[in-house]
Amino acid sequence: MDLPGVHEELEHAIATWEGEQVLTRFDEASGSWIFICIHSRRLGPAAGGTRMKVYGSPLEALRDGLRLAAGMTSKFAVAGLPFGGGKAVLAVPSLPHGDERARLLGVYAEAIESLGGTFWTGCDMNTTPADLDVIAETSGYVFGRSVESGGSGEPGPHTARGVLYGIRAALAHVFGSPELSGRTVLVQGVGSVGSRLAGLLAEAGARVLVTDLRTEHAAELAARVGAESVAPEHALETPCDVYAPCATGGTLSEETIPVLRCRIVAGSANNQLATLEDADRLREHGILYAPDFVTNAGGALYNAGSEALGWDEERIEHALRGIGDTLAEIFVRSEADGVSTGRAAEALALRRLAAAP
Ligand code: PHE
């Protein structure tokens, strides 16, 4: 490995980040890196999920955390919640189980506790309410513990409900009707959000296509909800009305956008675009992009709303419906200003941040 190169990239990643601070900890016993990225506390304490993942390198993990934390700032700003943006990444050599998992979560929980409430966390990829229960033994700065432990539970089903409102808003904008019957939606990634979304879409009468790198997962889900499974290598080029990315980010790029055969991109993945220019590319290709941090706010709205803001079911439903309303405004604004929806959403987030007292 070219170490000087890695050092430079590391310095570059942190120096060009517009965030506040990164807490770094190396857990020697497991060889895991812990990064807690606090991007902004302009609107309140930083909040964001904990992602556990096997990365190619600590640098890759740090970059993911930095970008995800920035996305959380925009997400809370646009959703109108009194939180800032943060994200934690646990870069593990392999996903731990049992006692080893609990031990690592304990080390991570000490790091959260040391921040004294400037960072609150919830679930993200490969973490569950049961993990938050373990973290909560050491630090109380947690949203989304299990229901049995008095928490509000998983965000995934609520993220999925919010994405459904987002898809309807996009359909209404493109086709003049939010109706799902007669429409084809391809759900890419059938994890905690994608699997729920596929079920909701099928219930609403859409033709649902599902795809996942774990092909047996996709086939199983397809059989269960009445969807069709598509081989992952054909996902991008499969004709559909809505392409819904619900897995890891960065899948929409200069290379992949020309291959797409959809009218709309609307899904739950964070950081769907490789770069903001890809929002412009989608626009040039006549594809309506529902910006990820607006569309996927449902889980954060649910966990933070019910635990920190005392929201009841009705208030949560209102907030989820608001995702569709906000997207409709962004679509109109993007057309009026002649900019991509991605840029219109970023501008809205920046206005909200600038307006904060
Ligand atoms: N990790 C999820 C997201 O990216 C949900 C979440 C965020 C849950 C913050 C709780 C707190 O939005």
Side-chain angles (χ1 to χ4, degrees):
M1 200 192 296
D2 176 7
L3 270 179
V6 171
H7 280 147
E8 276 160 30
E9 285 189 48
L10 183 71
E11 287 164 12
H12 181 78
I14 295 176
T16 54
W17 188 54
E18 283 155 354
E20 292 180 14
Q21 60 168 316
V22 182
L23 180 155
T24 304
R25 182 155 176 172
F26 179 64
D27 175 56
E28 203 171 353
S30 65
S32 305
W33 289 85
I34 298 172
F35 297 112
I36 302 180
C37 308
I38 297 181
H39 180 261
S40 166
R41 288 175 297 140
R42 181 114 180 83
L43 300 177
T50 299
R51 175 167 295 199
M52 192 187 279
K53 205 180 147 184
V54 180
Y55 288 92
S57 67
L59 176 63
E60 193 190 303
L62 173 65
R63 280 198 185 126
D64 202 26
L66 296 175
R67 199 166 167 219
L68 288 163
M72 290 306 301
T73 299
S74 303
K75 188 178 304 190
F76 285 124
V78 168
L81 256 66
F83 289 99
K87 201 87 176 191
V89 168
L90 306 188
V92 291
S94 64
L95 293 178
H97 300 282
D99 290 350
E100 175 49 25
R101 188 175 182 99
R103 189 199 58 77
L104 178 64
L105 291 170
V107 172
Y108 166 53
E110 276 172 26
I112 298 175
E113 186 62 16
S114 77
L115 291 166
T118 52
F119 174 72
W120 287 69
T121 202
C123 294
D124 196 77
M125 201 172 278
N126 294 324
T127 58
T128 64
D131 293 326
L132 296 180
D133 290 348
V134 174
I135 293 170
E137 289 169 19
T138 305
S139 180
Y141 304 117
V142 163
F143 298 131
R145 278 170 301 133
S146 67
V147 175
E148 307 82 78
S149 305
S152 58
E154 278 188 287
H158 309 276
T159 308
R161 286 162 64 207
V163 173
L164 187 65
Y165 279 116
I167 288 176
R168 285 189 185 279
L171 288 170
H173 190 80
V174 171
F175 298 108
S177 160
E179 189 53 54
L180 277 149
S181 64
R183 297 286 165 214
T184 301
V185 184
L186 191 154
V187 179
Q188 182 247 334
V190 294
S192 106
V193 182
S195 60
R196 262 68 170 240
L197 179 64
L200 294 175
L201 288 163
E203 261 171 47
R207 174 173 173 241
V208 183
L209 309 178
V210 293
T211 185
D212 198 293
L213 293 173
R214 301 160 301 173
T215 47
E216 70 294 351
H217 257 71
E220 217 175 274
L221 176 74
R224 185 152 47 83
V225 304
E228 298 154 51
S229 68
V230 171
E233 61 272 24
H234 297 306
L236 287 166
E237 75 221 26
T238 300
C240 55
D241 295 302
V242 183
Y243 183 77
C246 296
T248 41
T251 54
L252 302 170
S253 67
E254 206 173 350
E255 290 77 43
T256 61
I257 290 168
V259 181
L260 290 173
R261 292 174 68 192
C262 59
R263 292 296 308 279
I264 291 164
V265 170
S268 70
N270 281 308
N271 299 339
Q272 291 168 26
L273 309 174
T275 69
L276 191 53
E277 284 73 51
D278 295 309
D280 310 338
R281 283 190 192 101
L282 285 165
R283 180 167 184 262
E284 284 153 21
H285 280 79
I287 297 171
L288 182 69
Y289 169 58
D292 48 11
F293 60 77
V294 186
T295 311
N296 69 15
L301 284 168
Y302 169 75
N303 284 143
S306 44
E307 293 188 28
L309 307 173
W311 288 0
D312 60 10
E313 256 175 60
E314 201 181 314
R315 182 69 189 79
I316 290 162
E317 191 58 33
H318 175 79
L320 295 181
R321 211 177 310 117
I323 290 174
D325 301 340
T326 304
L327 283 171
E329 283 167 34
I330 288 169
F331 297 152
V332 169
R333 186 93 185 209
S334 118
E335 277 176 7
D337 295 351
V339 297
S340 68
T341 54
R343 291 192 194 272
E346 294 282 352
L348 175 59
L350 287 175
R351 282 200 299 279
R352 293 271 167 84
L353 286 161

